[in-house]
Amino acid sequence: MMKGNFAANRGRSRLVVLPALLATTMLTSVSAAIAATDTSGTLETVVVTAEKRSEDLQKVPMNVQAFTTEKLSQLNLTDFTDFAKYMPSVTYAVSGQGSNGGPGFANITMRGIASDQNGNHSGPLPTVGVYLDEQPITTIGGTLDVPTYDVERVEALSGPQGTLYGASSESGTIRIITNKPNTDAFAAGYNVEVNSVDHGGIGYLANGMVNLPLTDNVAVRIVAWDEHDAGYIDNVHGTRTYPTSGVTINNATAAKKDYNTVDKLGGRAALQIDLDENWTITPSITAQSEDSKGLFAFDPSVGDLEVTHFLPEYVKDRWYQAALTIQGKVGNLDLLYSGGYMNRSVHSAADYTDYSFWYDTLYGSGAYIYNNAGIVIDPSQYILGMDGFTKESHEFRVSTSKDSRLRFVGGAFYERQSHHILQDYKINGIADAITVPGWPDTLWLTNQMRVDRDYALFGELAYDILPDLTLTGGIRFFQADNSLSGFFGFSSGYSSHTGVVNCTVPPPVPTPYHSLPCQNLNKHVDDNGETHKVNLTWHIDDDRMVYATYSTGFRPGGVNRNGNLPPYSPDGVSNYEIGWKTSWNADTLRFNGAFYWEDWNNFQFSFLGPNSLTIIANGGQASVKGAEFEAMWLPVEGLTLSTAGAYNDAQLTADYCGNVGVTVCPGTAKAPKGTQLPITPKWKVNATARYEFTVDDFKAHVQGSLVHQSGTWSDLRILERGLIGQSPAYTTFDFTTGVDRNNWSLELFVENAFDERAQLGRYAECTPGVCGHEPYILVAQPRTIGLKFGQRF
C-alpha cells in the first residue's frame, strides 16, 4: 500500500544567523550574480568532469547542461526542485512511501524514460543516477534533498551513462560538485533572505561558508545552512461520514492555515591535505535534518490550495554522508579512489482516511473494522513509517593524460545499499483478532529489509584517428543482486490470503527485523551483463564539433513483495544520438544540441494492485524520439540572452496488457500502442534575459526568466488517466533586480510572478480505481517575493 505524491517547489527559508559559523569568520560576502561573460566580453568557459576527467564543456561530445556557482545564484536555485525547472530533459515525481509529497522524495527521470510515479520502497530502482561529488546518493523512493549552497556546479548528463556511471544511470546522471578547500587564501561569505508566499506565510534563509588554510598544504572548508520554507496549503475544517458505520469524524484539532512548512538545518565540512605535488586526500562529511509538515498538494473538491485531512502528517528526515577521495599520479597515470557511506533515517506519519472512506463507500469494508466487543468502529486509517537507509560505495579509477592521442579511463566499482522498511497502517481501537500479532492497533504491517548490491568493471578508450577525428569505445561489465525479505500483510483474523496466513518462518525471526510477527517473504534475484558505448567526434575547427553516439543503459530486476508473483526482469535503453556544439562570432554566441532516438526494452512498470499493494511487471516496449538544444548570446555589452529546451515524443511501441508476464493482450489493452508515457511533457523550454550595467559605483542588474512545459499524465493506463486527469500545460515567469558594490550585494526577486497555478502532477491516495474519485493536485509554489543580502571577503 502507498500514497503516490509529487515533490513541491518550496519557498525559501528561516532567518537564523548560524552563530557559530558567522562568529568564527566575521563573514561578509557577495551573493554571486552570474558572470555570463568574462573580462574579455566573451561567454565564460565551463569546465566539467562528465567523462571523469576535467574538460571544457564545449569539447565534451555529449549533451551536458551545467549550472555554475554564478548561474545557480543568478537564477536563485537552491535545491533540486529549483534547478530541475531549468533542465529541459529532467522531470520528476515523488514516491508515496509515507511521504507527504514534500522534499527528499524526488524520483528523477530524463528524456522521457518514465513509466509511472510509484516510487514505493519495494519498487524498481531509479533510472537516473545522482552523485554528490564522486559518490552516488540515489536511494529507492527518492533522492536526498541536497541544498546547492557553496556548490561549484551542477551537471546534467542526458542519455544512458551506463559505461562510466552504472546501473542507476539508465536515462542520465545528475552530479552535484561542491567547492573544495583551497590552501591559497582565506575566504568567507554569508547570505540572508526573507520572502513572502502569496496565499501563504513568511520564509527565511541564512547560509554561510568559510575556507581556512591551516598550513601551506592543509585547508578546511565549512558550510552551514538554516531554512524555514513557508507553507501555502490550508487544512480547512470539515467532517466525513463513513456509510457503513455512520461514524462522523471531525478535523477541528488538525485544521490549520499554511500547514505544509519545511524546516531545514545542515552543514558540510571538507578537509584537503596535499601530501606532495602529486597526491591529495580529501575527507568530507555532509549532514542535514529536515522536518516537513502537512501535505504539499491540494484537493480540488475542497478548494484552491485546500485539503480537509484529519490525522497527523509529517516527515522527519535525517541523513549524513561521509566521503573520502584520494587523488594522485604514478608516472603518466592519474589515479583516484572514492569511497562513501550514507545513512538516512526517515520517520513519517500520513493521513490515510481517503483509503478508509472510499473502500468503505465502494465495498463496505468498514463493516469488518470492529473492537473487542464486536462493535463496528471508526475505520479511519493512518500510517506510521520508519525507513532506514544505508549506502556504501567504493570506486577505483585510473586514467591517462587527456592530451595523449590514445586515452583511457577505467576502473572498478562496488556498491551496497540497504533499506529497512517499516510501514505501520493503524486504526485506533481495533479488535485483537484483526490486529497484526505484537503490533497493537495495526491492521496492516510492512516490515522488510531490502538489499541491493552492484559490482562493475568499466573502461573507455579514445583514439584520435586524425587530429580532428576521435573514436571512443566503452564497456561496463556488471553484476547486480537484489533481495527482499521480512513480513507484509494482515493478521490471520482479518485475511485468509495475505499476511500471517502465508508465513513460512514463525517468530521469533532473527535480526535485522524489528519485532517481526513471522516471515512470509524471502526472495533474491541477480543479473549480470554489459553495457557499451561507441562515439565518433569530428572537430570541424576549434569552435565547432559534431558527434554521433550509440550507447546503452540498464536497470536491474528485482523482487515483487507479493510472494505469489514472479520477480521482474531487467530493462534496458538503447540510445542513437547525433549532436553538435558550436561557438560563433568570437565566442559571443553558442548553440548546442542533439537529436536522439531511444528504445526502451522490457520496461519495468509498477502499479497498485489488490489492497493497494505495489506490483512491478515488465510492461513491454517504448521509444523516445527527441531533441535538446541550448543557446546563449551576447548581442550587446551587458546583455545576455539564453534559452534551452527539449522535445520528447515518448510512447508505447506495443500494447500494455496490465497483467504480470502477459505480452499479448487477451482483451482490451490497459494502454494501447502509441500511448504517451507518463510524467514527461512533450515540450519543456526556458529562456532568460539578463542586463548588467553600472550606476555610479554600483553594479546593477535586471533579469527575467520564463519556464514552459506542455501537459503531462500521471499514469500509463487509460482508465486510470480518466480518473486522475491530466496536468495541463503551463508557463511561469521569474524576475530579479539587484545591485552590488565592493563586497556586498542586495537583490529583490519575484518567482511565479503571475501566480500561475501550474500543475506539477496529480495522484490518488490509493488505487486509482478506488481513490481516483478524489484526486490531489501538486502545484508550483504560488507567487513568492523575496529580498536577499550577501557579503563576501
Side-chain angles (χ1 to χ4, degrees):
M1 286 187 282
M2 65 164 286
K3 177 167 61 178
N5 296 338
F6 293 80
N9 290 350
R10 301 181 301 284
R12 302 295 170 215
S13 38
R14 187 170 90 207
L15 189 59
V16 176
V17 181
L18 309 175
L21 182 61
L22 301 186
T24 301
T25 63
M26 304 169 56
L27 304 177
T28 38
S29 151
V30 175
S31 297
I34 265 195
T37 62
D38 60 27
T39 55
S40 64
T42 60
L43 293 167
E44 64 175 338
T45 297
V46 178
V47 176
V48 298
T49 52
E51 295 189 302
K52 300 203 172 182
R53 61 170 86 238
S54 296
E55 299 172 285
D56 180 350
L57 175 63
Q58 287 298 105
K59 306 298 183 182
V60 178
M62 71 169 72
N63 195 305
V64 180
Q65 189 175 8
F67 292 101
T68 61
T69 303
E70 293 79 12
K71 193 168 185 179
L72 290 167
S73 177
Q74 176 192 12
L75 294 173
N76 205 26
L77 312 180
T78 62
D79 57 24
F80 170 76
T81 57
D82 285 336
F83 63 72
K85 293 192 302 182
Y86 290 91
M87 291 180 170
S89 290
V90 176
T91 53
Y92 65 91
V94 167
S95 75
Q97 50 171 56
S99 82
N100 54 3
F105 294 93
N107 284 294
I108 307 166
T109 64
M110 297 180 73
R111 285 190 173 177
I113 302 299
S115 61
D116 64 273
Q117 65 181 28
N118 184 344
N120 187 265
H121 38 244
S122 56
L125 285 164
T127 63
V128 173
V130 180
Y131 282 69
L132 180 60
D133 291 320
E134 293 288 342
Q135 292 77 31
I137 57 173
T138 315
T139 62
I140 303 296
T143 299
L144 295 181
D145 182 30
V146 181
T148 56
Y149 310 131
D150 199 43
V151 164
E152 180 181 346
R153 67 185 180 277
V154 177
E155 300 175 4
L157 288 59
S158 298
Q161 305 295 322
T163 303
L164 293 180
Y165 291 95
S168 287
S169 295
E170 185 180 38
S171 65
T173 300
I174 292 177
R175 307 180 68 229
I176 302 170
I177 312 298
T178 62
N179 284 313
K180 304 301 186 293
N182 188 338
T183 58
D184 293 339
F186 171 82
Y190 74 88
N191 296 282
V192 293
E193 176 188 313
V194 61
N195 59 72
S196 175
V197 181
D198 273 22
H199 320 283
I202 303 295
Y204 308 92
L205 156 68
N207 67 72
M209 59 73 60
V210 58
N211 182 86
L212 183 64
L214 303 179
T215 67
D216 290 342
N217 65 324
V218 180
V220 64
R221 193 178 191 98
I222 301 172
V223 186
W225 55 87
D226 195 342
E227 299 186 28
H228 172 74
D229 294 350
Y232 49 87
I233 301 293
D234 296 337
N235 189 15
V236 300
H237 179 257
T239 61
R240 168 169 272 174
T241 300
Y242 292 100
T244 298
S245 64
V247 171
T248 297
I249 56 176
N250 189 312
N251 75 339
T253 60
K256 186 178 181 180
K257 183 176 175 61
D258 307 328
Y259 87 136
N260 62 318
T261 59
V262 180
D263 290 281
K264 187 186 306 182
L265 178 68
R268 181 173 67 248
L271 178 70
Q272 180 171 304
I273 304 171
D274 296 328
L275 300 178
D276 56 31
E277 62 181 11
N278 290 326
W279 288 90
T280 298
I281 299 175
T282 309
S284 64
I285 187 167
T286 305
Q288 181 171 274
S289 171
E290 185 171 58
D291 293 338
S292 58
K293 300 176 183 178
L295 191 70
F296 289 77
F298 74 90
D299 182 346
S301 68
V302 177
D304 182 39
L305 302 179
E306 293 180 340
V307 297
T308 298
H309 277 202
F310 300 85
L311 298 169
E313 295 168 296
Y314 61 80
V315 174
K316 298 179 179 180
D317 191 355
R318 312 283 186 267
W319 61 266
Y320 70 86
Q321 194 240 14
L324 174 65
T325 301
I326 303 173
Q327 295 174 281
K329 291 182 70 70
V330 175
N332 293 324
L333 298 178
D334 294 317
L335 280 70
L336 181 142
Y337 163 78
S338 174
Y341 178 80
M342 184 190 73
N343 186 291
R344 183 185 189 189
S345 175
V346 180
H347 292 244
S348 60
D351 183 305
Y352 212 45
T353 54
D354 282 7
Y355 174 93
S356 304
F357 176 79
W358 287 107
Y359 267 92
D360 189 33
T361 299
L362 298 176
Y363 305 114
S365 61
Y368 305 100
I369 305 301
Y370 54 89
N371 60 19
N372 284 329
I375 300 172
V376 173
I377 61 171
D378 175 6
S380 296
Q381 192 171 157
Y382 60 99
I383 309 170
L384 296 181
M386 185 173 68
D387 294 273
F389 302 84
T390 65
K391 191 181 190 77
E392 176 186 354
S393 65
H394 302 273
E395 181 172 321
F396 174 75
R397 191 165 72 239
V398 59
S399 59
T400 59
S401 171
K402 65 181 180 180
D403 298 321
S404 300
R405 184 176 184 181
L406 180 65
R407 302 175 294 280
F408 173 76
V409 177
F413 175 80
Y414 166 75
E415 176 184 86
R416 182 188 187 276
Q417 55 182 328
S418 68
H419 182 185
H420 181 206
I421 307 155
L422 181 58
Q423 300 284 297
D424 186 359
Y425 294 73
K426 303 180 78 72
I427 300 175
N428 293 333
I430 60 174
D432 296 339
I434 60 174
T435 297
V436 174
W439 292 80
D441 293 334
T442 295
L443 183 69
W444 173 288
L445 178 69
T446 299
N447 189 349
Q448 300 169 343
M449 176 62 74
R450 174 173 180 163
V451 178
D452 292 271
R453 295 179 177 88
D454 295 281
Y455 311 81
L457 296 173
F458 62 90
E460 278 196 359
L461 190 66
Y463 179 67
D464 296 333
I465 303 171
L466 298 172
D468 57 1
L469 187 66
T470 301
L471 178 65
T472 301
I475 193 166
R476 187 182 189 97
F477 298 98
F478 66 86
Q479 179 176 327
D481 299 321
N482 168 260
S483 64
L484 185 64
S485 58
F487 174 85
F488 70 97
F490 299 108
S491 70
S492 58
Y494 189 82
S495 173
S496 59
H497 304 290
T498 303
V500 173
V501 296
N502 299 126
C503 280
T504 57
V505 179
V509 179
T511 56
Y513 313 103
H514 172 68
S515 301
L516 210 65
C518 55
Q519 184 173 335
N520 62 3
L521 177 64
N522 186 10
K523 287 192 170 186
H524 170 270
V525 297
D526 59 79
D527 303 309
N528 61 79
E530 56 84 19
T531 61
H532 46 271
K533 168 186 173 181
V534 179
N535 171 273
L536 185 65
T537 302
W538 177 31
H539 294 275
I540 301 171
D541 53 36
D542 287 342
D543 295 325
R544 285 164 281 275
M545 62 175 282
V546 292
Y547 65 87
T549 299
Y550 166 64
S551 59
T552 62
F554 78 99
R555 177 168 54 166
V559 173
N560 266 299
R561 63 174 174 171
N562 185 332
N564 297 320
L565 296 176
Y568 52 95
S569 302
D571 60 13
V573 171
S574 297
N575 173 60
Y576 310 87
E577 180 173 344
I578 296 175
W580 65 91
K581 292 191 174 180
T582 63
S583 299
W584 306 85
N585 194 26
D587 204 19
T588 61
L589 172 65
R590 287 181 188 163
F591 179 51
N592 303 333
F595 294 104
Y596 49 87
W597 180 308
E598 296 188 344
D599 290 323
W600 192 12
N601 303 309
N602 206 31
F603 69 82
Q604 298 165 12
F605 177 60
S606 59
F607 58 95
L608 298 180
N611 299 312
S612 290
L613 182 67
T614 298
I615 296 172
I616 304 99
N618 292 93
Q621 313 299 316
S623 70
V624 182
K625 289 171 281 194
E628 299 164 331
F629 73 90
E630 184 176 20
M632 185 176 289
W633 182 32
L634 307 179
V636 296
E637 182 179 356
L639 177 62
T640 303
L641 305 176
S642 60
T643 183
Y647 170 79
N648 286 291
D649 182 11
Q651 59 180 263
L652 293 178
T653 55
D655 291 348
Y656 169 67
C657 301
N659 298 315
V660 177
V662 176
T663 56
V664 178
C665 304
T668 303
K670 298 288 186 180
K673 177 181 176 180
T675 298
Q676 179 185 344
L677 297 184
I679 310 302
T680 302
K682 278 196 172 184
W683 284 101
K684 185 179 178 184
V685 296
N686 66 75
T688 299
R690 181 180 180 87
Y691 183 58
E692 298 178 349
F693 55 97
T694 301
V695 179
D696 294 329
D697 293 332
F698 293 92
K699 295 180 180 179
H701 65 270
V702 292
Q703 177 182 289
S705 300
L706 69 85
V707 175
H708 171 81
Q709 76 168 47
S710 57
T712 61
W713 296 98
S714 297
D715 202 293
L716 176 66
R717 299 161 295 177
I718 301 302
L719 176 63
E720 285 72 9
R721 288 184 175 188
L723 292 169
I724 301 297
Q726 184 182 31
S727 298
Y730 65 82
T731 304
T732 61
F733 294 85
D734 300 336
F735 300 101
T736 64
T737 184
V739 297
D740 61 86
R741 181 181 183 185
N742 298 327
N743 71 333
W744 62 265
S745 71
L746 181 68
E747 187 170 67
L748 174 70
F749 65 86
V750 183
E751 296 181 344
N752 194 4
F754 302 108
D755 201 24
E756 173 81 1
R757 199 66 76 240
Q759 295 188 19
L760 306 179
R762 302 168 70 98
Y763 69 92
E765 192 173 83
C766 67
T767 305
V770 178
C771 295
H773 301 280
E774 188 173 2
Y776 289 81
I777 299 174
L778 176 80
V779 293
Q781 183 172 292
R783 177 171 46 234
T784 301
I785 301 174
L787 186 69
K788 60 181 181 179
F789 175 81
Q791 285 188 298
R792 184 173 191 145
F793 68 95

